[in-house]
Amino acid sequence: MSHITGSVQPVAPAIGIGPDFGPATNPPDTWALDFAHTPAPMGTRLVMLHFTGASFPANNRLEVDLGYGGELDVFTAADGTDFWTRPIRLNDLPGEQVPIRYITNGAATGGVQLVQYGRGERHTKDPENPGADFNSFTNCDPFLKFSPFIEPQYATHWFCNIPPHWENFECAPPLPDIRSVVAPSVGMILHVDFNTVLADYVMSTCTVTLVEPDVIVTAGHCMTDPIEDARSASVIFNYQTHCDGSNDPGYMPVVVKVKEVIRQRFADGTASDYCLIRLVSPVPGITPRPMRMDLPAIGEPVFCIHYPNGAVKKLSPLHPGFALVTASGTTAVQANMDITGGSSGSALFDSVGRVVGVLAGSSPCNLGYFPTATMLQDIAAPTPITRDVMIVFDRSGSMSLPGTSGMAKIAEARAAASLFVQLLRAGTGNRVGLVSFSSAASMPVDFTLANVTAANKTALIGPMPFTTGVVGNLMPGGSTSMGSGLNAAFMQLTPMGNPRNVLLLTDGLQNTPPMVDPNSKSPTDITIDVIGYGTPASLDGPMLTAVAMNHNGQYVMADTNLKLQKFFALAFGNIFEAGLLMDPEFVLPAGVPTAPPLPFDVCEEETLTVVVGWDHPDTHLLVEVTTPSGAPVTAALPGVESAMSRTWTFLRVPLPQAGERDGRWHVHVSRPQAGITAAAGTTSGAEVRYFVNVIADGGAVLRRMPDRRRYHTGDAINPLVALQYLKGGAPPNAKVRVIVRRPDTAVGTLLSRETLGGVAVIDADTIPPRQATLLAIEKKTGKPVVGYTELTFDLESDVESTGSFEPGDLFGKPMNDLLTVEGNYTFHAHATYGDGCIATREVMWSVHVDPGIDPGKTDMTVTGSGGQGVIVIVPRDIYGNNLGPGRGGDITITGAPGTTVTEPPADNGDGSYSVHVTWNSASGAGPGVIIAQPGRPPVVVGAASGPAPGPSVTHGGHIWKWLCCVLAVLLAIVLVLWLCRYV
C-alpha cells in the first residue's frame, strides 16, 4: 500500500442476485439490481464491487455496467467464486446507481452475493505516519468527476523542494520530446489493501509502467500480498489533465484489470523491490517501454513520470531540465527528484526512454530506484529450490589454543561443523563441500562439492558420534590466508548450479596472501555468512562484518563454544529453512536431572528441528518434545529423525504429528537416567550450560535487510528486518523487538593506557601487536577485555521507522545514540505474528563499529619552526574514546591545504601517531592534517589557517579549552592594569 485513496464499505446484509435468491426481474432470464452506494462525505470518485459465493452453472454470467462508453465487466465460471470489478465511473450513471445483471443461459440455478464495495474518496493522511510532513489530503479522481481537478494536499516527507519541482504532464514539451513519447506507458494501479494500523481494508494506488503489451512493472512493496492484491487490482492509463488542470468533455481513461502477479520481490532479506504483473489483455494504443539491461553511468540524465497521492500524471523534474544519476549499483540507482506517496513503483527513464529502475524508497533528495538490470537477471534465474554450500574452515595455528570448554578451539569447531553437516537433509538436491585453510587452502579441497547423501555426510563427519571423517581429521598449524580459502570455495561454486552460499568459520586475522579485500563485492551472487570464533582480542571484526555485508550474509561473533554450535545451527536455519523460532541458553545445575519444560508456539510450520547443544563433552543431555495435548515425541516415532554427538543432539519432527500442529509445544531436556547409557567417559551430574534452538520450515521468514554500510561511533543505525511469507504477503498482527548486546569498554582507550607489545606467534600463526596485547591482557586477568550490556527496543513498521514507502513487512527503529563505543554489537530480533494461532521467529547478526575520529576531540601537538616539524595526534571519537595504538593501517593521514607530509606516520604505541610535515610559514597558515577512515568522510585536524605556530603548539578539544581559559585570565589582568592607571 502506498497511501489511502478510499475506503472499503460493507454491504450489510449481503445482497444476493440470481435464481438462488428469488424470482427473476424482466426479462425472465435476468435478475437485475441497480446498486446504490452510500456516498462519501466529500463526494464519491468511483466504486469497485466485491462479489463472493458466485455460482455460474452452464453458461450463466454476471454483467456490471462500468459507466464508460457502455463497457461491461462480465464474469463467468472461469472467474471463480470471489472477484472484484474494475473501477466504476459514476459520472453519467443515473443517481450514481450501478446496473448489475445475473443472466441465466442453460441453467435455472446459480447466483452471486454482493458483500463489499470500494469507495474512492478524498482521504486524510496515512495513520501509520504521525509526523507533520506526512499530512496529506488525497484526491484520486481518475474519471475526473470533479473538474477542474482538485490538487491533493501532498505529503512533503520525500520532497527536496517546496513547492515540488513537478508539473502536470501536459505542461511538458510535445512530441517528439522523449518525455511525451514514454508518457502513455505510465499508469496507476488501484487495488484494495489491508491497513495494519486501521486493522481494516482500504483502497490504495501506486505508479506502474507498461513494459510488454500485457505486462506492467512496479515496486514489490506496492503488492505486498500478491495473490490477494491482484484479485482487486486494475490499472488506469491516460489519467491526466491539461496543463491548467482542465479536461476535454470527452475525456475517458483506459482501464485494464490485472490477471496475476508474475513475480514479486520485496522484504525477502535482499534489496530486491519490484513486481511484474500480467494484465487480462494487451493495452490498446499504448507502446510498451523497454527495460534497460545495463546500469546507467553516474551523471546520466533521467526523469520520472508518476501519480503522487493519486493525483493526475506528473513529470519530475520540471522541463526542460533533467535529473542526473548520482549513484549506480546493482541494488539501487539514485537520483534527486520530488516524489510522494503514490509515486512508488514509478519508472526512472533514461534519455532514450528506457526503464532504468522502479522507485523503491530511500530518503529525500536521494531516491533509490531498484535497477531493471538486476531485475532482468533475477527474472532469468531459476526459482531457488535447493542450495550449494561450501564450508570454509580455519585450521590456522591459533586454532590450537584452548577454547572455552577446555578442548582445543579446533576440536570445538569440528563439533560445531559436524552439527551443521548432520542437520542437512539427504536426498533433497542440496550440495555441500568443504575447504580448510591455514597458510594456504587445502588443494585439492578437503571435500568436493557434492550432493547431500547419507554416504557423503558419513564421509564428511563419520558415523555417530560424528567426530571422524574429513572434518574430524582437520588439524591446526600455519598462518592465516583467508583469501585462499574463499577463492578455493568460489571455484567449487559454479554459476550454473544451485543458488550459492559460503559459510566461513575463522578465529583470527588474515596475515598471509592472498588477502580478503573487505570492500570487494565480487562475486556478487554468492552469499557469505561468517562466524567469528573468539573475542574482539582475536577477531578482525571490521573485515568480517564487511565481507558478510557485501555478500548479503550475516556476521556473528561467537565468544564461547556454546555460541559457536548455536550459530552453526542458526546458519542451517537461515540457509535451508524458514529460520529460528527461539534460541535461549540455560544452566542445568549440578545434580538436577531434568530442566523445566520450555514452551514454544507452533503455527503453520511444516517441520520442526529442535537442537540442544552443551558446553562440555564430559556430560550428556537428552531431548524430547511434547505436543499441545502432552503426547511425547521421541526418536522412536515414525518419521522423526534424530542424531547425537558428544556436545549436541537434535530431533526433526514432521508436522502434523499424530494429527497435532498448531498450539503450545514443549521441549524437555534431561540427563540420562538409570538404565540409559550415556556416552563413554561422560559424567551425569555436573553443572552444564546448554542452548535450545527450535528451527522451523514453513510459515513466515524473518530476515535482516541488506546493509553494506561501515559503521563508526556516533553514526545512526537502523536494524531493519523483514517479516514475510515466502510466497508473498505480510503475516497478520506482527510485532518485532530487538535485543542489542553492546560493548562496555573502548578497546582503543584501554590499549592507550597499556604498553603495546610485539607480535605473537602461535604455531606459525602470526598475531599482530594490537591483538597480541589484548590476548595477553585476557590471559593476565582471566576474563575478556570487553564486557557487554543489553538493551531492548520495539521495532515499528511505519515509514519514519523503516524509510520505506510501505508500512507492513519492514520493521525498524533509527537509533542515533547507540554506537558510543567501538566493538562488536549483536542484534537479536524477535518477532511474533498470527491471528489466534501465534507464531514466533528470530534472527541474529553482528556489526563491528570502529571509532569515528572527531576533530574536536582529537589532540594535536606541533613541534618545530620555520615551516617544518613533527605533528603528534591522538585520534579520538566524539565520545572521547581513543582510536588507540596499532591502528595505523586503518587510517590514512595526509597534509591539510598548505601542509605536506614528508614521512609515513609512525605509531608511538600509546594511542598517538607522529607525522613529519612541512608547511608554508610565510603564508600565515598553520600546519594541519587530514585523517581518512574507510567508509567515512575525512576530517581535518589542526590550524589549517591563522598564524603559524611557534616552537610547540597544541591543538585539540581539551587543550583548546585550557588555552581559552588562560587567554581569558591574561585579558582580565591586562584590563585591571589598564584601569589602575586611572586610580
Side-chain angles (χ1 to χ4, degrees):
M1 184 186 70
S2 181
H3 62 92
I4 302 172
T5 57
S7 61
V8 176
Q9 302 291 327
V11 177
I15 300 175
I17 311 168
D20 292 349
F21 299 98
T25 55
N26 189 21
D29 64 346
T30 301
W31 283 254
L33 168 71
D34 289 333
F35 173 69
H37 74 285
T38 301
M42 299 183 67
T44 304
R45 272 62 177 164
L46 57 90
V47 294
M48 294 163 50
L49 304 184
H50 183 199
F51 296 93
T52 63
S55 172
F56 296 109
N59 294 314
N60 291 5
R61 68 185 186 274
L62 181 74
E63 295 180 351
V64 180
D65 285 357
L66 298 175
Y68 22 103
E71 197 166 341
L72 303 175
D73 262 355
V74 180
F75 299 96
T76 66
D79 296 293
T81 62
D82 187 307
F83 44 79
W84 287 78
T85 68
R86 285 179 284 172
I88 298 169
R89 181 177 179 268
L90 301 172
N91 303 33
D92 300 326
L93 294 177
E96 297 192 349
Q97 295 186 0
V98 181
I100 305 170
R101 294 173 298 278
Y102 187 97
I103 301 172
T104 58
N105 184 3
T109 59
V112 299
Q113 294 186 75
L114 176 60
V115 295
Q116 285 177 312
Y117 62 94
R119 188 177 68 188
E121 58 191 283
R122 298 204 72 183
H123 205 290
T124 56
K125 64 187 291 183
D126 285 0
E128 299 93 341
N129 308 306
D133 56 349
F134 287 99
N135 287 341
S136 64
F137 202 7
T138 66
N139 184 32
C140 183
D141 190 7
F143 300 115
L144 299 180
K145 183 178 178 184
F146 298 91
S147 184
F149 180 76
I150 303 169
E151 289 288 332
Q153 175 189 332
Y154 294 105
T156 62
H157 179 76
W158 287 283
F159 283 8
C160 196
N161 304 282
I162 298 180
H165 287 185
W166 66 44
E167 58 194 337
N168 284 350
F169 183 78
E170 290 201 11
C171 302
L175 293 171
D177 187 274
I178 190 61
R179 288 163 286 203
S180 291
V181 170
V182 305
S185 68
V186 179
M188 181 181 73
I189 191 168
L190 174 67
H191 67 90
V192 171
D193 204 347
F194 187 78
N195 182 280
T196 55
V197 175
L198 294 177
D200 202 356
Y201 288 91
V202 295
M203 297 177 68
S204 175
T205 67
C206 275
T207 304
V208 305
T209 304
L210 191 71
V211 292
E212 294 181 18
D214 63 344
V215 175
I216 57 172
V217 67
T218 188
H221 69 253
C222 291
M223 305 289 283
T224 54
D225 195 350
I227 295 175
E228 286 302 314
D229 290 351
R231 190 192 307 274
S232 62
S234 294
V235 178
I236 303 171
F237 294 93
N238 299 337
Y239 168 32
Q240 60 198 70
T241 66
H242 297 311
C243 186
D244 61 1
S246 65
N247 60 284
D248 296 326
Y251 163 82
M252 191 72 68
V254 176
V255 185
V256 184
K257 193 164 178 58
V258 164
K259 180 179 181 180
E260 62 184 349
V261 170
I262 301 170
R263 187 171 178 84
Q264 185 257 16
R265 296 289 301 275
F266 174 63
D268 58 356
T270 72
S272 301
D273 190 352
Y274 75 89
C275 187
L276 284 173
I277 301 171
R278 191 178 308 282
L279 305 176
V280 295
S281 63
V283 184
I286 298 179
T287 303
R289 304 311 308 168
M291 293 196 290
R292 182 163 165 171
M293 301 180 66
D294 62 334
L295 294 171
I298 294 175
E300 274 198 42
V302 288
F303 64 95
C304 174
I305 301 173
H306 54 118
Y307 290 94
N309 282 150
V312 295
K313 187 181 295 184
K314 306 291 186 186
L315 169 67
S316 293
L318 297 168
H319 79 280
F322 288 85
L324 301 178
V325 173
T326 59
S328 184
T330 58
T331 59
V333 175
Q334 294 179 340
N336 175 8
M337 283 178 288
D338 294 312
I339 53 89
T340 191
S343 304
S344 290
S346 56
L348 186 69
F349 293 101
D350 64 14
S351 59
V352 294
R354 294 174 297 181
V355 180
V356 174
V358 294
L359 181 59
S362 200
S363 56
C365 306
N366 191 23
L367 301 178
Y369 292 79
F370 188 72
T372 51
T374 304
M375 191 187 310
L376 291 168
Q377 290 182 2
D378 186 54
I379 295 167
T383 303
I385 300 175
T386 54
R387 292 194 174 274
D388 291 348
V389 178
M390 283 296 295
I391 303 170
V392 180
F393 191 103
D394 185 347
R395 53 174 172 81
S396 60
S398 58
M399 291 289 282
S400 64
L401 292 172
T404 55
S405 70
M407 296 189 298
K409 289 165 70 174
I410 196 161
E412 296 172 338
R414 291 193 301 246
S418 71
L419 170 60
F420 178 84
V421 171
Q422 189 58 22
L423 283 169
L424 299 178
R425 304 190 198 198
T428 57
N430 294 309
R431 298 194 295 175
V432 67
L434 170 74
V435 59
S436 63
F437 67 90
S438 58
S439 304
S442 53
M443 294 301 289
V445 299
D446 303 86
F447 193 84
T448 303
L449 186 71
N451 289 329
V452 178
T453 63
N456 284 336
K457 289 170 66 172
T458 300
L460 273 165
I461 59 177
M464 194 170 72
F466 313 112
T467 56
T468 57
V470 173
V471 172
N473 289 322
L474 295 173
M475 295 298 171
S479 56
T480 304
S481 177
M482 210 171 297
S484 67
L486 287 174
N487 289 340
F490 297 157
M491 292 177 65
Q492 291 286 307
L493 296 167
T494 59
M496 300 305 293
N498 296 325
R500 304 179 292 168
N501 290 70
V502 164
L503 179 55
L504 168 64
L505 164 71
T506 183
D507 80 321
L509 300 90
Q510 55 182 349
N511 50 37
T512 303
M515 301 286 202
V516 173
D517 178 3
N519 299 314
S520 174
K521 298 177 176 61
S522 179
T524 58
D525 57 348
I526 294 181
T527 300
I528 302 179
D529 292 305
V530 182
I531 299 176
Y533 183 31
T535 68
S538 62
L539 295 169
D540 188 345
M543 189 272 291
L544 297 178
T545 298
V547 168
M549 285 182 173
N550 285 334
H551 293 85
N552 293 324
Q554 311 290 355
Y555 165 59
V556 288
M557 185 189 78
D559 51 11
T560 67
N561 76 307
L562 198 66
K563 286 188 171 64
L564 182 65
Q565 292 187 111
K566 176 197 290 191
F567 292 156
F568 265 92
L570 175 65
F572 164 77
N574 286 340
I575 295 172
F576 294 102
E577 311 280 86
L580 200 66
L581 267 65
M582 63 176 186
D583 70 336
E585 294 185 21
F586 302 99
V587 174
L588 187 62
V592 176
T594 304
L598 176 64
F600 67 96
D601 293 312
V602 171
C603 183
E604 306 175 321
E605 285 78 16
E606 299 172 1
T607 306
L608 299 174
T609 304
V610 181
V611 183
V612 176
W614 52 93
D615 56 354
H616 289 288
D618 56 357
T619 189
H620 195 72
L621 295 177
L622 303 175
V623 62
E624 182 183 272
V625 175
T626 53
T627 69
S629 70
V633 179
T634 66
L637 291 179
V640 176
E641 301 177 46
S642 69
M644 184 181 298
S645 186
R646 297 177 63 196
T647 56
W648 54 260
T649 184
F650 70 81
L651 283 177
R652 181 174 287 138
V653 182
L655 298 178
Q657 186 64 219
E660 295 190 72
R661 181 200 302 268
D662 296 350
R664 177 147 293 184
W665 294 57
H666 289 84
V667 176
H668 302 266
V669 175
S670 61
R671 303 179 192 271
Q673 301 301 301
I676 300 177
T677 304
T682 63
T683 59
S684 61
E687 177 182 282
V688 57
R689 294 188 63 86
Y690 68 98
F691 70 85
V692 178
N693 275 4
V694 181
I695 301 166
D697 188 24
V701 176
L702 182 67
R703 292 283 188 260
R704 181 199 179 194
M705 292 300 290
D707 182 358
R708 293 180 174 178
R709 181 177 176 184
R710 186 164 184 167
Y711 286 97
H712 299 82
T713 50
D715 288 347
I717 190 170
N718 190 343
L720 276 176
V721 295
L723 181 66
Q724 190 182 54
Y725 291 114
L726 288 176
K727 295 181 180 179
N733 302 323
K735 294 180 175 61
V736 182
R737 62 187 172 93
V738 65
I739 300 173
V740 184
R741 184 173 181 256
R742 61 195 296 264
D744 62 5
T745 302
V747 171
T749 301
L750 172 68
L751 285 173
S752 297
R753 296 194 294 261
E754 296 282 334
T755 301
L756 193 67
V759 300
V761 179
I762 302 172
D763 197 3
D765 199 7
T766 302
I767 311 298
R770 182 181 174 90
Q771 284 69 31
T773 303
L774 291 172
L775 289 170
I777 294 173
E778 289 186 339
K779 184 176 182 180
K780 179 175 64 177
T781 61
K783 62 180 183 180
V785 293
V786 177
Y788 294 88
T789 57
E790 288 189 351
L791 299 171
T792 301
F793 304 93
D794 290 329
L795 303 185
E796 304 294 341
S797 63
D798 59 86
V799 174
E800 290 182 302
S801 298
T802 64
S804 169
F805 288 103
E806 299 305 321
D809 294 5
L810 293 180
F811 295 82
K813 180 180 178 64
M815 301 180 186
N816 298 319
D817 300 311
L818 179 68
L819 310 182
T820 59
V821 177
E822 68 171 295
N824 197 83
Y825 290 69
T826 297
F827 296 82
H828 193 168
H830 302 249
T832 62
Y833 67 91
D835 187 3
C837 178
I838 303 301
T840 61
R841 290 291 185 271
E842 299 184 11
V843 68
M844 185 184 302
W845 71 93
S846 299
V847 173
H848 187 87
V849 176
D850 269 334
I853 297 173
D854 180 75
K857 296 289 187 178
T858 296
D859 290 344
M860 185 183 95
T861 302
V862 182
T863 303
S865 61
Q868 61 181 0
V870 177
I871 294 178
V872 178
I873 58 171
V874 181
R876 295 192 182 95
D877 67 13
I878 194 172
Y879 303 104
N881 302 311
N882 285 29
L883 176 70
R887 299 297 298 271
D890 301 322
I891 59 175
T892 301
I893 303 176
T894 56
T899 301
T900 301
V901 174
T902 59
E903 294 183 16
D907 185 345
N908 299 320
D910 59 358
S912 67
Y913 295 81
S914 297
V915 188
H916 288 261
V917 298
T918 61
W919 67 92
N920 184 0
S921 58
S923 68
V929 293
I930 299 173
I931 307 176
Q933 295 176 274
R936 193 166 187 266
V939 298
V940 179
V941 178
S945 61
S952 181
V953 177
T954 303
H955 307 272
H958 304 295
I959 303 299
W960 273 115
K961 293 177 182 177
W962 178 81
L963 288 175
C964 289
C965 293
V966 172
L967 181 60
V969 172
L970 291 174
L971 288 173
I973 292 172
V974 171
L975 179 61
V976 170
L977 293 174
W978 182 78
L979 290 173
C980 287
R981 295 171 56 192
Y982 301 96
V983 176

